[in-house]
Amino acid sequence: MDWVTCSRSPSCTGVARQPYGSCLSHLSPEQLADALAAIRPGRLLDLRGTTIDGELLARVLAAAEGRPGRARMDLARFTGEARFTEVSFQGDVSLDGARFDRLASFFDACFAGNVSFNGARFARQLSFHGARVRGHAGFDKAVVGSDALFGQAVFVRGLSAERARFDGFATFDGAEFGELATFRGARFGRTLSFKKVRGRVGFESAHFASGAYLSATGRLAVTGARVDGALDLAVEDSSVDLRKVEVRGTTAVRLSRAHADLESAVLHGPATVSGRGFCTISSLRGAVAPDLSLFSLDLSACRFAGLAHPSGLRLTGCTFAFTPRGVRFSLRWPPLRWFSKRRALADEHGWRGWSHGPKDLSSPDGLAVLYDELRHSPDDDGTAADFAFGAMEMRRAAGRRWWLSLYWLLCGYGLRTGRAVAWSMLLVAVTAGAVLWTSTSHAARRVSTPRPAVPGPAAHH
């Protein structure tokens, strides 16, 4: 401890008040009255290590007229209800390691600077509802034993609650974060309600022992988080990072003009991802989702390689990128190729080098299997047919079956009837031309060959 402690008891850690040498809780009534009279609004309030009951706290705040300046309350212990309702702190506030045995209420409190509750312990309910922090708020490694209420709170310079523990119900509904709010490694023992939150939020490696209901208008990162219950998530005009997230219950992700990444996500229960407006998914690589439904999403850049259960995927109203059309030259055999317009996975675009960035390392055989398992997923016949065509294309690209090239050339694997009709018409035209040419040649020969002379009657005499 970097302060002179109370001389009344060796176990008391309260900061000593001079000239008495004792903390506020160990002063006589006359000494306490003098100490409280020295407290002024907007001036330093030092309660470090002091044990404070509800009555003493009320008298201290009254002496400061509800407007203390810089407040230092590290390692303080509040044995009664700690009510800082509507208190306006004029400077930085430090409550690192403080203990609250009963209710801790900062309802509608205002902090002009930074506030720190790092390592604080709240045995009962914590209320930060409607509070406004102009600086940065820190709750790293804090423990809240009951409900935590942060609804409508405003954190102008962000919030840090890394490795914090919320054992009860936690709500941040309507909260606003001017900068990043991070809950990396935090644990939520009961349901977390995070609805209509503004600002960037990160729940990297967090653990939700129950359900999580998250709704944000800024970038949301749930990378590596574990949800033992249901995950209900809504993002608007931003992006959500769900890489390596694990959800034991149901998953519902609603995007509104937003982007999502589900690479290596593990979704044990039924999962749906739906979009409103232009919404995209960048990756499902390595995802484990036996019951996943995608609605109204742009999947033109989505990578599917390594998806554990492609046959369990259902696609409704989703769009894919089309292959480039026309004739192309290549150094591989055959050197001259042409491509018809069809829907294709971004993995194939990457493998062929059609997309920007490094070339995809997926094998043609793997893509063929992926196409085969996905061709029953789309809700429209056109996409399903294109996926079936893509599966055959990848098998032909693997170069193990020569007859596939002939099959492709003649009728497009039985999926391009126009090609078969064209070949038939060409065959008919060639046959008709050959017959016409043969007939014409035969008639010309008959005309050009001279007829033998027939002897007349004079020849017999």
Side-chain angles (χ1 to χ4, degrees), residues 20-215:
Y20 312 112
S22 301
C23 66
L24 283 183
S25 61
H26 285 124
L27 294 178
S28 65
E30 295 79 9
Q31 293 172 339
L32 178 59
D34 292 339
L36 292 176
I39 297 176
R40 295 285 186 272
R43 302 292 296 276
L44 172 66
L45 177 61
D46 192 352
L47 298 175
R48 289 174 292 175
T50 306
T51 300
I52 307 170
D53 59 20
E55 180 183 356
L56 178 58
L57 178 61
R59 294 181 65 182
V60 169
L61 295 178
E65 298 180 5
R67 295 182 294 107
R70 169 80 167 91
R72 305 184 66 183
M73 293 178 277
D74 303 311
L75 297 179
R77 181 171 184 176
F78 298 88
T79 57
E81 292 189 347
R83 295 185 177 274
F84 292 88
T85 303
E86 298 181 349
V87 172
S88 179
F89 294 92
Q90 306 299 302
D92 292 342
V93 178
S94 177
L95 282 147
D96 294 344
R99 296 175 61 90
F100 297 83
D101 294 345
R102 301 182 65 182
L103 169 70
S105 176
F106 294 85
F107 183 89
D108 276 349
C110 182
F111 300 84
N114 303 313
V115 58
S116 178
F117 288 89
N118 295 335
R121 298 290 187 270
F122 302 87
R124 302 286 183 85
Q125 188 182 69
L126 166 63
S127 175
F128 228 75
H129 185 93
R132 181 179 180 84
V133 183
R134 296 186 182 275
H136 181 270
F139 285 84
D140 295 343
K141 299 182 181 179
V143 177
V144 184
S146 187
D147 297 344
L149 311 177
F150 287 82
Q152 309 298 323
V154 177
F155 302 90
V156 177
R157 296 189 58 187
L159 166 71
S160 177
E162 296 187 6
R163 297 174 63 185
R165 199 179 83 200
F166 301 87
D167 292 341
F169 173 79
T171 176
F172 288 79
D173 294 349
E176 181 177 343
F177 304 100
E179 296 182 11
L180 175 66
T182 176
F183 295 85
R184 183 182 292 108
R187 185 186 187 280
F188 298 88
R190 296 183 62 186
T191 301
L192 168 65
S193 183
F194 215 84
K195 300 176 181 178
K196 298 181 179 180
V197 175
R198 300 176 61 86
R200 295 183 298 133
V201 185
F203 289 95
E204 295 89 345
S205 302
H207 178 203
F208 303 89
S210 187
Y213 298 85
L214 313 178
S215 173

Side-chain angles (χ1 to χ4, degrees), residues 307-451:
L307 180 63
H309 301 279
S311 58
L313 182 64
R314 290 177 297 278
L315 306 172
T316 304
C318 297
T319 58
F320 294 85
F322 284 93
T323 58
R325 299 180 63 181
V327 178
R328 290 177 176 263
F329 296 92
S330 173
L331 297 177
R332 297 182 299 171
W333 183 262
L336 183 64
R337 308 176 182 205
W338 79 83
F339 294 92
S340 59
K341 184 178 180 181
R342 63 177 172 86
R343 300 168 186 84
L345 298 179
D347 304 84
E348 182 183 349
H349 280 258
W351 177 77
R352 292 189 185 274
W354 290 338
S355 60
H356 298 292
K359 186 173 181 179
D360 198 290
L361 299 179
S362 301
S363 67
D365 287 327
L367 289 175
V369 173
L370 185 59
Y371 269 123
D372 255 340
E373 295 186 328
L374 285 176
R375 65 191 180 95
H376 300 293
S377 301
D379 62 330
D380 63 296
D381 296 335
T383 304
D386 285 348
F387 281 6
F389 190 95
M392 299 299 288
E393 277 284 87
M394 291 298 98
R395 291 192 181 95
R396 183 169 70 91
R400 298 180 182 177
R401 299 176 179 87
W402 63 269
W403 54 268
L404 282 177
S405 296
L406 182 62
Y407 192 21
W408 164 78
L409 186 63
L410 292 177
C411 60
Y413 314 116
L415 297 168
R416 299 292 186 265
T417 56
R419 191 175 301 181
V421 171
W423 280 114
S424 300
M425 293 177 64
L426 179 61
L427 180 61
V428 169
V430 170
T431 303
V435 170
L436 181 61
W437 181 82
T438 303
S439 301
T440 304
S441 299
H442 182 66
R445 283 197 301 270
R446 290 184 61 185
V447 172
S448 62
T449 302
R451 300 178 64 182

